[in-house]
Amino acid sequence: MKKFNIRKVLDGLKEVSSSTPSVQVGPQENHLIQETLQSDHFQLCKTVRHGFPYQPSSMAFDPVQKILAIGTQSGALRLFGRPGVECYCQHESGAAVIQLQFLINEGALVSALADDSVHLWNLRQKRPAILHSLKFNKERITFCHLPFQSKWLYIGTERGNIHTVNVESFMLSGYVIMWNKAIELSSKAHPGPVVHISDNPMDEGKLIIGFESGIVVMWDLKSKKADYRYTYDEAIHSVAWHHEGKQFICSHSDGTLTIWNIRVQGKPIQTITPHGKQPKDGKKPEPCKPILKVEYKTTRIGEPFIILSGGLSYDTVGRRPCLTVMHGKSTAVLEMDYPIVDFLTLCETPYSNDFQEPYAVVVLLEKDLVVIDLAQNGYPIFENPYPLTIHESPVTCCEYFADCPGDLIPALYSVGSRQKRQGYSKKEWPISGGNWGQGTQSYPEIIITGHADGTVKFWDASAIMLQVLYKLKTAKVFDRNRSKEDKGSTEASDEDPFAIQIMAWCPESRILCVAGVSANVIIYRFSKLEVTTEVVQLVEVRMQYELNDIESPDGGGGEQTPALPTPGASPQTSGPPSHPSTSSNNSDGGNMPCLKVRSTPLKQSAGYQVDLVVQLVWVSGEPPQQITSLALNSSYGLVVFGNSNGLAVVDYIQKTVVLNLGTVELYGSNDPYQRQPRSPRKTRQPSGGLCDINEGSATSEDRCKSPTSVLMSNSNLQQFYNGGGRGAKMSRKLSLPTELKPDLVLLSVCPPRGANPLDHRDNSFSRSRSSSVTSIDKEAREAISSFYFSDTFARKGDSSLTPCLYVGTTLGTVLALALTLPPAGEQRQLQPVIISPTGMLVRLKGSIMRMALLDSTGLMLPPAFEPWFEPNVTADGEEREKVRKRRPVSVSPSTSQDLNESQYAVVCSEKQAKVISLPSQTCIYKHSITEASFILRADVVQMSQGVCLACFCANGHIMTLSVPGLRPLMDVNYLPLTDMRIARTFCFTNLGQAMYLCSPTEVQRITYSQDTCENLQEMLGELFTPVETPEAPNRGFFKGLFGGGAQSLDREELFGEISSGKASRSLAQHIPGPGGIEGMKGAASGIVGDLARARIALDERGQKLGELDERTAAMMASADSFSKHAHEMMLKCKDKKWYQF
């Protein structure tokens, strides 16, 4: 006891005396470990963004380059080529992208934004950049049109005017089509905004302009007047041409399509209502919903395609959004899962005046991208190769693993490939442009995402690509059909009762452990064989320490059914059937789990198969607290989880609870916090407490006793670490001393924190930050925040390594528990695991986030693991036990006596980090990471040059510190915490990689490694590849002779400054972009700017030199050819006389 107090005082003195952020004790320590990591090994940059573009608003396709562009409501631009080639760009203003137009086969893209700016993007570089911008001041942009192989962009505005912009210089032309010139002079009303502009496929000099009110005008560009005007009494949404330029089709707000002949102004030649019911008396069909877009595509053989979105009848309530494909007399209505944002028909030719030959339709939905094959019967969809299903169910947590075992990805892929749906189109994915990067980074990377519907997805994230490998549905373990009266038992997580909250994974043994929001833990083993599980094995745990004392003092609470199965012949049989018949809707609600494990046989296909389910049950009418921390160790065969009540250790080999303990009881009498207001337990605590166990006072006889309970008061503490041998009853009967009864009455009036289900839902996936809230209630409710299994020195001054479990709490304490494991083989199945507490290791400010161990040379000591084996084959069971593998500790205790220390424990909390020397348990380094903010995520990671501690702070800073010296190596203000999603999903991994969810549908990957930043340019794919533009369609002899066929127009002469004059300067402002060399001139001065300018200049110079080389080579080839021909001529003519020529 005295010994402990002295150590505590010393620790306190040490903390008070540390005025500097880093404390280094003893020069010898510094000298011993040579830290290899330096600040120049670190650089932070974004690498790649995966997933579906969040809130998409527009789309464009380059039919020659075969590149798809998607714009979003937040100003983002996502470009997709062949699977694995994708790119993300962002408009600085963040305004919504209302329209996109490719400069087809030019490697450029025009974007129009809701803030009335137009931008030209250069796609010929790996990271596209803006070359020019034009910001309109007086008019609002509503529609843009760029004809194929033209450099003049038409921009329609809300006022009904049309301006022309030269896309090379991004300067406005003086040529303007004013709305009042376009419409009838007699018309008194404004025609509304411009909703469509396109040129006649057969005559570039004729422009069709659609106004919202229903007026369509054929404008003659040369004569600057309207040739024809077509009026309809319903608003127009879109217009499309027939390729011969004699007809066009309009879609209207009443669900009709009108087809017009260009020479007939009066009325349309045909009116169609695709989804309207036709009345028999010849009246107009009843109106339908607006047809938002229509496309009119022709084929050489057969009928044209009319493809439209919207237009459904108003009486189809609850019908899903549809795309309608009309082909001849057949009409196919294709239902979509989400509302349609836009669609595009992919055609064989980029020329609008040729037969279009459509082969696919790309449909952009609010949360999906669907590509339909038009060439096959039934219009099947293509299998989407992009990782766009991250958000299929909302992501609730993520883990990221770099440098995994090499056989993992093939194993997951082989089982995942069997899960694929059938019925896709047999053809190749049509968006196939670009080229993959030439990166040399080859280590395997895996991202695991947990979702709100209980699914877990494994993704191959190697070499900055992302591909789904395998999908696990954890909800299959539970009964889904809950009765209405049972609903009360899942109030805390009623919306998503199966949501995944925390995941722990051992890549070497492939054991996966997930904790759900309904206070359940499921342990999975990986198998290549299919199996049918007759009964899902179940263990139930009661964890409600603050409340257990409130059970009726006369022992009435002891009447309940045992909360845990009797570990004996069949631990799995006492699952939900053993619940009392009085269900959770009674006032007591005791022993009910939140979810009911299925009682029917479970067919489990190859992949992850459930091994054990652990459930926390209701106690005294209160739901179990959500699990806040989780860890597993495959070598020890243990899983540990904790919440605001305490922790439980489960032996998943024997399927038993080894330890179930309240946080208070971890401390025993050495508890540094005064918790009397919360629980009356202190008054009857024996003087020894945990200290008796530390000093070895528990007799061997006591240790051998079969404990009566795993949950116990401090008076039973000498037995709790005994682990529940065979035949132990896992229930708790409690009879309290009579003098405590008055206190109990007082306590029961106070509702416990967490009883309110809304409290759970509001921050169902956030980490509880007790340290930053000065609340007595939270102090009393110390939660378990982190765990770490390792082979280390369990006690101060130990000379040998033993398996240990470190426990970190929200109040900044790290406690150690020593594990005594039975020998491998048959004994491991029979003998109990014994856990004994060894006291407090260290205390820090704030909740403990991360713990790790280093050896005496500063190398990371990974936890022991068991290699993977096939669990469904029993023949080699004995062999299997022999290969239980421990990674060796680099310095054995005997050789380290000269060094005094053998290991270093790195502990990081929300506020600070400390390095503890073991086994002396002295703090040798300390660093205060943040004062004003707090850390959201911390990981001890292996870089290629050494080990470091990486932290992400709530104020947006990403920091790395050397270990064990805790020197700051990098501190970048990267991203302020804008929502809890980032905090919930941010994770670091080895080799300088990190990731987080930047939107509900997208994963952003970043790197903090200088090596990766330098190689990133090589790793990124190329969007632009040199492709020959297809030949223009042949005009034919007679068309050429009689003036038919396409009419060309000299737009340069028409829109140039000489003929049209200069545009008004106040109309729009030209802004040079940063993408070109002119943008670089205005860039930041200094060495970085100079280097960037020099690099761009060199690139351009290299490009010009390359072109010069090509020209020189062509000239040399031409010269060779000329001399060859001259020589042949000379030989031919050598013997001829002059009169023979």
Side-chain angles (χ1 to χ4, degrees):
M1 197 72 171
K2 195 174 176 186
K3 177 179 163 188
F4 179 87
N5 285 336
I6 289 167
R7 190 176 122 204
K8 191 170 161 188
V9 169
L10 287 172
D11 272 356
L13 283 171
K14 198 179 292 169
E15 286 184 29
V16 171
S17 66
S18 61
S19 54
T20 55
S22 268
V23 175
Q24 281 137 22
V25 183
Q28 192 190 359
E29 297 287 351
N30 244 344
H31 180 65
L32 273 178
I33 296 179
Q34 183 71 43
E35 287 180 1
T36 50
L37 276 174
Q38 301 301 325
S39 55
D40 54 11
H41 290 133
F42 294 91
Q43 185 186 340
L44 193 74
C45 69
K46 290 182 180 179
T47 52
V48 68
R49 183 174 289 205
H50 303 293
F52 182 77
Y54 183 54
Q55 295 179 327
S57 54
S58 57
M59 177 170 64
F61 183 70
D62 185 326
V64 180
Q65 286 287 322
K66 297 204 177 338
I67 295 285
L68 182 77
I70 296 175
T72 74
Q73 289 179 27
S74 58
L77 201 56
R78 293 285 297 279
L79 295 136
F80 296 92
R82 66 177 61 195
V85 176
E86 55 181 287
C87 179
Y88 159 77
C89 322
Q90 177 69 46
H91 292 92
E92 269 185 38
S93 68
V97 180
I98 55 172
Q99 206 178 342
L100 294 168
Q101 290 260 304
F102 273 102
L103 277 69
I104 293 171
N105 207 24
E106 297 286 336
L109 176 74
V110 171
S111 59
L113 270 59
D115 66 352
D116 310 308
S117 59
V118 189
H119 307 271
L120 177 69
W121 289 85
N122 174 19
L123 308 182
R124 289 181 178 237
Q125 52 198 66
K126 289 194 172 183
R127 285 191 182 269
I130 292 173
L131 290 168
H132 299 281
S133 298
L134 197 63
K135 179 86 167 71
F136 279 73
N137 301 320
K138 294 183 176 177
E139 298 201 51
R140 306 222 62 186
I141 297 170
T142 54
F143 194 88
C144 299
H145 171 62
L146 180 68
F148 178 43
Q149 293 183 323
S150 162
K151 67 174 185 179
W152 293 95
L153 172 74
Y154 302 110
I155 296 177
T157 69
E158 200 171 49
R159 287 189 187 175
N161 304 325
I162 293 173
H163 303 276
T164 46
V165 175
N166 183 323
V167 289
E168 287 178 355
S169 63
F170 243 58
M171 302 302 281
L172 270 171
S173 161
Y175 192 106
V176 182
I177 304 170
M178 304 300 286
W179 67 271
N180 54 355
K181 300 268 182 73
I183 63 165
E184 298 270 5
L185 291 172
S186 58
S187 174
K188 292 175 183 175
H190 188 279
V194 174
V195 293
H196 180 84
I197 310 165
S198 61
D199 46 346
N200 186 322
M202 286 296 178
D203 188 352
E204 293 175 352
K206 300 284 194 286
L207 201 65
I208 208 163
I209 305 160
F211 294 98
E212 192 179 67
S213 63
I215 299 168
V216 177
V217 174
M218 176 80 81
W219 182 265
D220 187 315
L221 288 165
K222 283 183 183 171
S223 62
K224 300 184 182 178
K225 65 182 177 61
D227 281 356
Y228 301 100
R229 296 181 181 90
Y230 317 88
T231 308
Y232 192 72
D233 54 3
E234 290 292 339
I236 288 175
H237 282 277
S238 73
V239 183
W241 279 102
H242 186 283
H243 85 274
E244 288 176 348
K246 293 173 185 172
Q247 288 182 357
F248 63 87
I249 188 168
C250 300
S251 73
H252 299 276
S253 57
D254 64 344
T256 57
L257 297 171
T258 54
I259 299 176
W260 301 78
N261 188 316
I262 60 166
R263 298 188 189 281
V264 181
Q265 301 189 69
K267 63 172 188 174
I269 57 168
Q270 194 181 356
T271 304
I272 311 164
T273 312
H275 296 282
K277 291 172 185 170
Q278 298 289 341
K280 290 177 182 174
D281 53 6
K283 290 182 183 175
K284 280 179 83 174
E286 61 185 55
C288 295
K289 293 174 185 174
I291 295 175
L292 300 174
K293 184 172 182 179
V294 64
E295 293 205 340
Y296 196 7
K297 302 297 179 186
T298 52
T299 56
R300 284 181 202 280
I301 306 158
E303 301 282 338
F305 283 87
I306 296 175
I307 301 163
L308 56 117
S309 64
L312 292 179
S313 170
Y314 278 105
D315 61 6
T316 51
V317 179
R319 184 136 180 215
R320 293 195 291 181
C322 293
L323 186 83
T324 307
V325 180
M326 300 165 71
H327 185 224
K329 290 180 181 176
S330 76
T331 300
V333 181
L334 309 173
E335 287 197 336
M336 302 290 158
D337 290 337
Y338 306 101
I340 296 170
V341 175
D342 197 2
F343 73 88
L344 292 169
T345 310
L346 308 189
C347 302
E348 296 289 355
T349 176
Y351 295 94
S352 58
N353 59 356
D354 195 6
F355 285 99
Q356 298 299 288
E357 303 294 349
Y359 59 89
V361 183
V362 181
V363 190
L364 178 64
L365 307 176
E366 276 186 6
K367 292 185 178 179
D368 203 1
L369 183 74
V370 176
V371 184
I372 297 157
D373 185 353
L374 288 179
Q376 272 182 257
N377 288 337
Y379 304 131
I381 64 167
F382 289 87
E383 185 178 6
N384 196 323
Y386 303 137
L388 302 183
T389 58
I390 290 168
H391 63 287
E392 205 169 22
S393 168
V395 175
T396 52
C397 57
C398 302
E399 291 298 334
Y400 190 3
F401 299 86
D403 209 12
C404 304
D407 57 349
L408 251 184
I409 289 174
L412 286 163
Y413 181 79
S414 69
V415 293
S417 57
R418 302 175 207 175
Q419 299 177 325
K420 290 191 176 171
R421 279 175 47 196
Q422 300 302 311
Y424 289 114
S425 168
K426 303 282 190 293
K427 292 187 178 172
E428 289 286 313
W429 180 250
I431 304 160
S432 55
N435 277 325
W436 292 310
Q438 304 297 314
T440 51
Q441 190 172 307
S442 58
Y443 48 84
E445 295 172 76
I446 290 177
I447 289 172
I448 308 179
T449 53
H451 299 261
D453 65 352
T455 53
V456 176
K457 287 182 185 174
F458 290 79
W459 305 81
D460 176 5
S462 311
I464 70 166
M465 289 164 84
L466 195 70
Q467 182 186 9
V468 71
L469 290 170
Y470 174 73
K471 182 175 167 181
L472 169 68
K473 293 179 179 174
T474 65
K476 281 184 178 177
V477 172
F478 303 103
D479 276 342
R480 282 175 178 271
N481 49 346
R482 303 197 311 272
S483 60
K484 282 183 183 173
E485 53 266 24
D486 276 0
K487 286 257 179 164
S489 69
T490 56
E491 279 174 9
S493 51
D494 203 27
E495 289 167 1
D496 296 306
F498 307 111
I500 307 294
Q501 194 158 3
I502 315 173
M503 299 177 292
W505 189 47
C506 174
E508 287 83 8
S509 66
R510 303 183 193 172
I511 289 175
L512 172 72
C513 189
V514 295
V517 76
S518 299
N520 54 279
V521 172
I522 314 174
I523 297 143
Y524 288 92
R525 287 184 183 270
F526 184 85
S527 172
K528 293 181 179 177
L529 306 173
E530 195 175 286
V531 70
T532 301
T533 306
E534 292 301 320
V535 182
V536 174
Q537 303 210 19
L538 171 70
V539 168
E540 289 181 356
V541 182
R542 289 163 60 102
M543 287 175 78
Q544 210 74 11
Y545 285 86
E546 305 296 346
L547 290 172
N548 275 349
D549 293 346
I550 299 170
E551 288 175 15
S552 54
D554 57 6
E559 301 288 319
Q560 297 174 353
T561 314
L564 282 166
T566 303
S570 178
Q572 69 270 34
T573 52
S574 81
S578 71
H579 302 316
S581 55
T582 52
S583 175
S584 65
N585 53 351
N586 66 8
S587 59
D588 182 38
N591 294 350
M592 274 299 292
C594 291
L595 296 172
K596 188 179 177 187
V597 173
R598 64 185 287 162
S599 47
T600 52
L602 174 65
K603 186 182 176 186
Q604 305 199 75
S605 49
Y608 273 100
Q609 298 171 353
V610 64
D611 190 47
L612 179 66
V613 179
V614 183
Q615 283 186 304
L616 297 186
V617 294
W618 284 57
V619 180
S620 307
E622 187 185 330
Q625 296 289 312
Q626 288 184 352
I627 291 162
T628 55
S629 49
L630 177 72
L632 75 93
N633 186 287
S634 59
S635 177
Y636 307 157
L638 300 177
V639 163
V640 59
F641 57 91
N643 62 13
S644 57
N645 289 326
L647 65 93
V649 181
V650 174
D651 179 346
Y652 63 79
I653 294 172
Q654 293 186 23
K655 311 284 188 284
T656 56
V657 178
V658 177
L659 173 70
N660 184 347
L661 195 65
T663 322
V664 183
E665 287 145 321
L666 275 170
Y667 291 97
S669 60
N670 300 327
D671 187 356
Y673 304 106
Q674 297 303 307
R675 302 177 208 251
Q676 278 90 340
R678 188 70 188 159
S679 168
R681 220 178 260 139
K682 291 285 178 165
T683 53
R684 57 187 166 85
Q685 182 177 302
S687 58
L690 274 186
C691 214
D692 292 347
I693 299 169
N694 289 351
E695 303 301 326
S697 68
T699 62
S700 57
E701 190 180 331
D702 282 336
R703 285 202 188 109
C704 299
K705 282 178 188 169
S706 177
T708 54
S709 167
V710 175
L711 294 103
M712 49 189 61
S713 62
N714 281 352
S715 56
N716 302 45
L717 265 175
Q718 63 267 33
Q719 296 165 336
F720 87 83
Y721 59 87
N722 220 8
R726 290 304 199 194
K729 286 269 187 197
M730 303 271 183
S731 66
R732 173 178 185 179
K733 293 189 178 182
L734 190 67
S735 175
L736 296 175
T738 46
E739 64 269 19
L740 291 178
K741 285 179 188 173
D743 290 331
L744 279 178
V745 178
L746 184 100
L747 271 171
S748 57
V749 179
C750 242
R753 186 185 146 274
N756 179 4
L758 289 173
D759 182 42
H760 286 291
R761 200 169 292 152
D762 288 347
N763 52 357
S764 52
F765 301 108
S766 62
R767 192 183 291 283
S768 117
R769 294 190 300 102
S770 313
S771 61
S772 52
V773 182
T774 54
S775 148
I776 298 169
D777 184 49
K778 281 205 171 181
E779 279 238 304
R781 201 64 167 253
E782 181 176 15
I784 307 293
S785 59
S786 60
F787 295 112
Y788 187 74
F789 282 107
S790 63
D791 284 8
T792 184
F793 301 98
R795 293 168 184 80
K796 189 171 183 178
D798 270 10
S799 58
S800 60
L801 300 175
T802 51
C804 268
L805 169 63
Y806 284 157
V807 180
T809 75
T810 51
L811 295 188
T813 310
V814 178
L815 299 137
L817 300 173
L819 314 174
T820 307
L821 300 165
E826 201 179 324
Q827 294 297 309
R828 180 65 186 84
Q829 304 281 346
L830 301 173
Q831 290 183 22
V833 174
I834 296 171
I835 300 181
S836 41
T838 61
M840 190 162 65
L841 178 71
V842 67
R843 283 196 54 216
L844 283 79
K845 278 188 217 163
S847 176
I848 301 294
M849 307 290 291
R850 189 68 61 201
M851 298 173 278
L853 276 183
L854 309 177
D855 68 10
S856 59
T857 61
L859 296 174
M860 192 138 70
L861 282 173
F865 66 86
E866 179 182 64
W868 176 76
F869 59 85
E870 175 54 65
N872 293 327
V873 179
T874 51
D876 60 346
E878 290 173 20
E879 295 292 315
R880 190 176 73 216
E881 297 302 338
K882 290 176 188 171
V883 293
R884 191 166 135 233
K885 181 177 169 185
R886 300 264 175 97
R887 289 186 175 170
V889 177
S890 19
V891 181
S892 66
S894 56
T895 58
S896 65
Q897 295 306 312
D898 315 332
L899 308 177
N900 298 326
E901 303 297 341
S902 255
Q903 288 182 350
Y904 301 98
V906 182
V907 184
C908 182
S909 76
E910 288 177 319
K911 297 282 187 184
Q912 59 180 178
K914 285 186 181 180
V915 175
I916 314 301
S917 183
L918 299 175
S920 68
Q921 297 189 359
T922 53
C923 175
I924 56 165
Y925 297 104
K926 185 173 99 174
H927 181 74
S928 178
I929 299 169
T930 176
E931 289 296 335
S933 186
F934 56 93
I935 293 165
L936 292 162
R937 175 81 186 210
D939 288 288
V940 178
V941 291
Q942 181 72 55
M943 302 288 284
S944 49
Q945 300 90 355
V947 185
C948 73
L949 171 65
C951 307
F952 173 51
C953 214
N955 60 12
H957 284 253
I958 291 178
M959 293 167 274
T960 58
L961 304 169
S962 72
V963 288
L966 300 180
R967 286 180 299 115
L969 297 171
M970 181 186 79
D971 186 348
V972 177
N973 189 359
Y974 170 70
L975 170 93
L977 181 66
T978 47
D979 58 42
M980 280 311 293
R981 186 189 313 104
I982 298 169
R984 202 173 60 226
T985 57
F986 198 103
C987 38
F988 296 99
T989 186
N990 294 337
L991 302 167
Q993 307 295 333
M995 64 155 280
Y996 60 93
L997 248 76
C998 54
S999 77
T1001 63
E1002 295 166 291
V1003 164
Q1004 177 68 57
R1005 287 166 68 183
I1006 58 175
T1007 182
Y1008 47 98
S1009 156
Q1010 174 70 35
D1011 293 350
T1012 309
C1013 286
E1014 285 175 358
N1015 296 328
L1016 186 59
Q1017 197 66 14
E1018 285 177 30
M1019 292 160 69
L1020 292 171
E1022 290 192 52
L1023 287 165
F1024 181 78
T1025 48
V1027 180
E1028 285 279 325
T1029 303
E1031 279 188 26
N1034 195 350
R1035 285 174 67 184
F1037 175 71
F1038 289 105
K1039 282 187 178 177
L1041 193 64
F1042 299 113
Q1047 303 291 315
S1048 61
L1049 170 78
D1050 188 350
R1051 294 190 181 95
E1052 190 65 48
E1053 185 188 326
L1054 196 60
F1055 302 139
E1057 206 173 290
I1058 299 162
S1059 57
S1060 66
K1062 285 188 176 182
S1064 163
R1065 284 191 176 181
S1066 61
L1067 181 64
Q1069 175 192 0
H1070 175 255
I1071 306 157
I1077 193 79
E1078 65 273 355
M1080 285 311 302
K1081 285 172 191 165
S1085 55
I1087 191 154
V1088 178
D1090 290 336
L1091 279 170
R1093 283 197 289 276
R1095 187 177 292 172
I1096 284 183
L1098 275 170
D1099 284 353
E1100 289 195 355
R1101 186 163 174 252
Q1103 201 174 337
K1104 284 175 183 168
L1105 282 169
E1107 286 170 12
L1108 194 66
D1109 275 357
E1110 283 168 21
R1111 282 189 204 151
T1112 311
M1115 282 175 70
M1116 284 174 72
S1118 172
D1120 280 354
S1121 169
F1122 182 76
S1123 85
K1124 196 174 167 187
H1125 285 302
H1127 187 66
E1128 282 172 6
M1129 282 292 291
M1130 186 268 288
L1131 291 173
K1132 199 184 277 184
C1133 305
K1134 192 168 65 170
D1135 299 325
K1136 288 188 180 181
K1137 305 292 181 191
W1138 62 269
Y1139 50 82
Q1140 289 175 313
F1141 286 109

